[in-house]
Amino acid sequence: MRVFVTGATGFIGSAIVQELLAAGHGVIGLARSEQAAQALLAAGADVHRGSLDDPDSLKRGAAAAEGVIHTAYNHDFGNMSAAGELDVLAVEALGAALVGTGKPLVVTSVISHLAKGRVCTEADEPDGGSAVKHRSAAEEAGLKLADADVRVSVVRLPPSVHGEGDRSGFLPAVIRTALQAGASAYVGDGTNRWSAVHRLDAARLYRLALESAPAGARLHAIGDEGVSFRAIAEAVGRRLDLPAICISPPEAAGHFGWLAHFAAQDVPASSKLTQALLGWQPVHPGILADLEQEFYYRS
Ligand SMILES: NC(=O)c1ccc[n+]([C@@H]2O[C@H](COP(=O)([O-])OP(=O)(O)OC[C@H]3O[C@@H](n4cnc5c(N)ncnc54)[C@H](OP(=O)(O)O)[C@@H]3O)[C@@H](O)[C@H]2O)c1
């Protein structure tokens, strides 16, 4: 299949590109700069020049392909709702080019907007009151396309997609915060849980979704169902030779800055239904094993 991949130069998208090429698919990656175009060519992909800010460029890329995987995202934590709105427009543009074709479109969403303090499943609807509700609209915009003969599926990612090359995810931010503060902190008793997945396991799920997910499927890319944030903070502290400390909820914003909401969130999730539907199984190391790896601590 000739697959148009947005975010193809990103941490997760670049793994998806390799996964698709290894499985015999052709890849056309979205590039918004010459540097991105060169990186895609070096990776063995073709290049489609365009940008999230130019919906027509997304439509052209999708129309020329046999399937689409959308992972591009403008990570502006200072203006999360604007980033969410841009994501919705991108999903709508990609979808518009596929209406009536039955072609697959895989949309990226998150577990964090489910945030119910219990193990969430694929059947859970987004929580309209979530602090990251800006992510829900793109999921909903994607799923609507199932009624317009697009074989759309949504891959919900956990707060940590980890592995070598992770530079802009939440784990590097946790490590940076610990280094700056001289201590690795957790909030309250630290029993709040993060779900997680290895980047290579996530990439395989995107491929399987592209190849065979039924229209309207919500899929969970979950390897670790729920690891306590205290265990994460202690692993980071051990590796950096810093104390793991408890901070109170009112201290969290001062300590963690923009990361405070995420450090305190309880977002365990299951992927049992996804595994049964697509035969996907996470096989790569979990979050605590990856936190022992040297690559997370290179300066
Ligand atoms: N990494 C995680 O732990 C994690 C966890 C949960 C959810 N997610 C979600 O997974 C998706 C992929 O994340 P990631 O970690 O791979 O992100 P990333 O490494 O930051 O990559 C972002 C990608 O989006 C592209 N992009 C950003 N703004 C763009 C624009 N205006 N026009 C065109 N392309 C643009 C970037 O292109 P350039 O190369 O040109 O910058 C890059 O290819 C996102 O939706 C993210 O929120 C990630």
Side-chain angles (χ1 to χ4, degrees):
M1 206 186 291
R2 291 271 294 164
V3 189
F4 179 44
V5 180
T6 75
T9 50
F11 175 58
I12 298 167
S14 59
I16 294 171
V17 169
Q18 291 312 315
E19 174 73 28
L20 292 172
L21 292 173
H25 296 291
V27 175
I28 314 148
L30 177 68
R32 60 172 165 165
S33 68
E34 186 53 30
Q35 191 188 356
Q38 290 305 324
L40 288 172
L41 291 173
D46 292 332
V47 173
H48 175 78
R49 290 301 289 260
S51 157
L52 290 180
D53 309 289
D54 176 3
D56 284 341
S57 71
L58 302 179
K59 283 184 195 161
R60 285 195 298 275
E66 294 163 289
V68 178
I69 294 179
H70 173 51
T71 69
Y73 200 83
N74 173 25
H75 288 114
D76 178 359
F77 288 103
N79 194 348
M80 293 203 285
S81 51
E85 282 161 26
L86 193 62
D87 195 30
V88 173
L89 293 176
V91 170
E92 289 175 347
L94 294 166
L98 302 180
V99 164
T101 65
K103 290 179 187 173
L105 165 64
V106 186
V107 171
T108 299
S109 185
V110 294
I111 293 292
S112 296
H113 70 165
L114 305 176
K116 296 188 188 329
R118 59 166 168 76
V119 177
C120 286
T121 76
E122 292 83 342
D124 277 301
E125 301 280 346
D127 174 356
S130 159
V132 288
K133 61 175 182 293
H134 57 278
R135 298 295 304 234
S136 310
E139 173 170 327
E140 283 156 10
L143 290 174
K144 265 192 218 154
L145 292 161
D147 298 328
D149 195 18
V150 179
R151 188 164 61 76
V152 64
S153 58
V154 166
V155 172
R156 289 174 174 162
L157 295 171
S160 179
V161 180
H162 54 85
E164 186 150 20
D166 183 5
R167 275 181 275 281
S168 56
F170 287 162
L171 289 185
V174 169
I175 292 167
R176 272 195 310 276
T177 304
L179 281 168
Q180 280 158 12
S184 183
Y186 51 89
V187 183
D189 63 5
T191 53
N192 65 293
R193 295 153 292 177
W194 275 17
S195 42
V197 72
H198 194 282
R199 167 188 186 240
L200 299 180
D201 285 322
R204 202 168 65 263
L205 179 58
Y206 275 90
R207 175 175 64 79
L208 295 175
L210 175 92
E211 290 172 346
S212 58
R218 292 190 189 107
L219 305 167
H220 279 195
I222 300 297
D224 285 311
E225 279 200 2
V227 175
S228 76
F229 194 82
R230 179 173 180 160
I232 292 169
E234 286 176 346
V236 169
R238 252 192 327 275
R239 202 63 176 66
L240 295 175
D241 204 14
L242 293 172
I245 59 164
C246 153
I247 59 172
S248 67
E251 290 170 318
H255 183 90
F256 282 109
W258 63 267
L259 190 63
H261 164 76
F262 300 100
Q265 69 177 355
D266 189 35
V267 279
S270 155
S271 58
K272 284 198 181 72
L273 296 174
T274 299
Q275 294 189 33
L277 184 70
L278 296 180
W280 173 75
Q281 274 199 332
V283 296
H284 290 282
I287 187 170
L288 293 179
D290 257 4
L291 273 173
E292 298 298 331
Q293 299 294 319
E294 195 251 332
F295 55 73
Y296 266 114
Y297 304 92
R298 283 181 206 135
S299 48

